[in-house]
Amino acid sequence: MRERISKLTQIVEIFSAKSLEDVEQLRLTYLSKKGEISALFDDFRNVPNEQKREIGQLLNVLRTKATDKINALREQLSDSAQTAETEDFTRTAEPLELGARHPLSLVKNEIIDIFSRIGFTVASGPEIEDDWHVFGALNFPPEHPARDMQDTFFIEKNPDILLRTHTSSVQTRIMTSQKPPIRVLCPGRVYRNEAISYRAHCFFHQVEGLYIDKNVSFADLKQALLYFAKEMFGENTEIRLRPSYFPFTEPSAEMDISCNLCGGKGCPFCKHTGWVEILGCGMVDPNVLKECGIDPEIYSGYAFGMGIERITNLKFQVKDLRLFSENDVRFLKQF
Ligand code: PHE
């Protein structure tokens, strides 16, 4: 017995393998139930009692050695197999830096999150649109000066095809394809022909909302917007609605929030008024409902629209709009 053990110990010392299959073969030959080391354990029964202690120890040492050796070989071989498959040897030695979410995406997601808690779902639509979805259906008569409110980019030679100037076009698509109740948010990029400066860009991002059902009133609109303002800018935020004009809503309003920097006391940011404007809103004009196939005698609705850049500026005090589209990681990493 002693001899067999020392012979096997020598063999274990020189275990070697070129592949994972070799390793498995070693395991089968020596450690499996029918393996040579296991056979020694079977014979252990016949060892005279006075030798059991010593032989038992030798056997255990042998088995541990064999197991360790086989595990080590297996690890070595699977490591090198992985290296060959996944390492990119053309990569530079510089550590790769992780990116961060764009501030506009962060704020957009927060807006969606807040409104989804009161039942709004998200819809999207094309950025290249036709005149009817952007203007026609929304109560902008042809040649109406209101079209000048949103300086439009037209696709060359075809004045019917244009870049959407607001995501209200997605609301047109929803109203013409779904039946009320409708409660939807339309986030997305919009385009307006404006000179690029620190405070204007030829594209920006909006989230617009639309709610149509029986008996929807201006009070519902105000409640939803107050809830949004408090969730977004803090519990102490107040709102103020000022009468305004949009072709697709009647009555229309613009909403201010109490300046989130000075808390409404007045500071350079709010031009010492204590208020900052954040969105446009109103009750959907019955003409719009009719045009989209919804009976204004039965249904009413509210709509609102805000610029994501605007909300982001209020939250993070970004002074120059152009930073949002320059992709400078030094800027993007700060959020
Ligand atoms: N569509 C308007 C804009 O882009 C915003 C708005 C949406 C106003 C809904 C009122 C109601 O300026």
Side-chain angles (χ1 to χ4, degrees), residues 150 166 168 192 206 208 246 248-249 280-282 303-305:
Q150 306 180 346
H166 51 184
S168 304
R192 294 186 193 180
Q206 284 189 324
E208 295 211 355
F246 300 102
F248 34 88
T249 46
C281 60
F304 56 85

Side-chain angles (χ1 to χ4, degrees), residues 184-201:
V184 77
L185 279 184
C186 310
R189 180 174 287 181
V190 300
Y191 301 82
R192 294 186 193 180
N193 190 359
E194 299 208 26
I196 297 171
S197 74
Y198 75 96
R199 52 195 297 259
H201 210 297

Side-chain angles (χ1 to χ4, degrees), residues 11-174:
I11 294 178
V12 169
E13 302 276 351
I14 55 163
F15 266 180
S16 73
K18 287 205 182 70
S19 66
L20 288 169
E21 288 86 61
D22 290 353
V23 179
E24 180 58 10
Q25 197 50 53
L26 286 174
R27 192 189 67 79
L28 286 173
T29 316
Y30 296 97
L31 285 175
S32 67
K33 273 211 180 95
K34 295 201 175 108
E36 293 191 26
I37 296 179
S38 312
L40 286 178
F41 275 89
D42 290 342
D43 293 345
F44 184 66
R45 256 181 270 128
N46 310 325
V47 173
N49 272 345
E50 63 278 12
Q51 291 180 26
K52 273 210 156 87
R53 212 178 121 91
E54 191 204 339
I55 301 281
Q57 261 175 4
L58 289 175
L59 268 179
N60 278 329
V61 170
L62 171 63
R63 185 166 59 181
T64 313
K65 238 188 205 160
T67 313
D68 288 352
K69 193 92 194 214
I70 283 178
N71 285 344
L73 282 172
R74 186 182 294 130
E75 212 160 282
Q76 241 175 36
L77 285 163
S78 58
D79 265 5
S80 57
Q82 241 173 26
T83 312
E85 270 168 32
T86 58
E87 280 298 297
D88 173 5
F89 293 110
T90 61
R91 213 180 81 179
T92 62
E94 302 290 324
L96 287 179
E97 280 205 41
L98 280 184
R101 277 231 193 290
H102 194 284
L104 293 179
S105 299
L106 289 174
V107 171
K108 178 190 75 179
N109 290 343
E110 195 174 342
I111 298 170
I112 291 174
D113 199 47
I114 292 171
F115 281 105
S116 68
R117 297 205 282 273
I118 51 172
F120 282 81
T121 54
V122 173
S124 59
E127 293 181 11
I128 301 174
E129 265 290 9
D130 54 51
D131 181 279
W132 188 78
H133 282 94
V134 178
F135 296 124
L138 295 170
N139 207 28
F140 288 82
E143 315 302 333
H144 192 283
R147 290 183 185 222
D148 289 344
M149 279 165 73
Q150 306 180 346
D151 304 280
T152 310
F153 282 118
F154 294 93
I155 304 291
E156 234 180 329
K157 294 204 183 90
N158 187 349
D160 190 44
I161 306 295
L162 44 92
L163 296 180
R164 67 182 181 193
T165 56
H166 51 184
T167 58
S168 304
S169 54
V170 183
Q171 306 182 5
T172 310
R173 287 182 177 272
I174 298 289

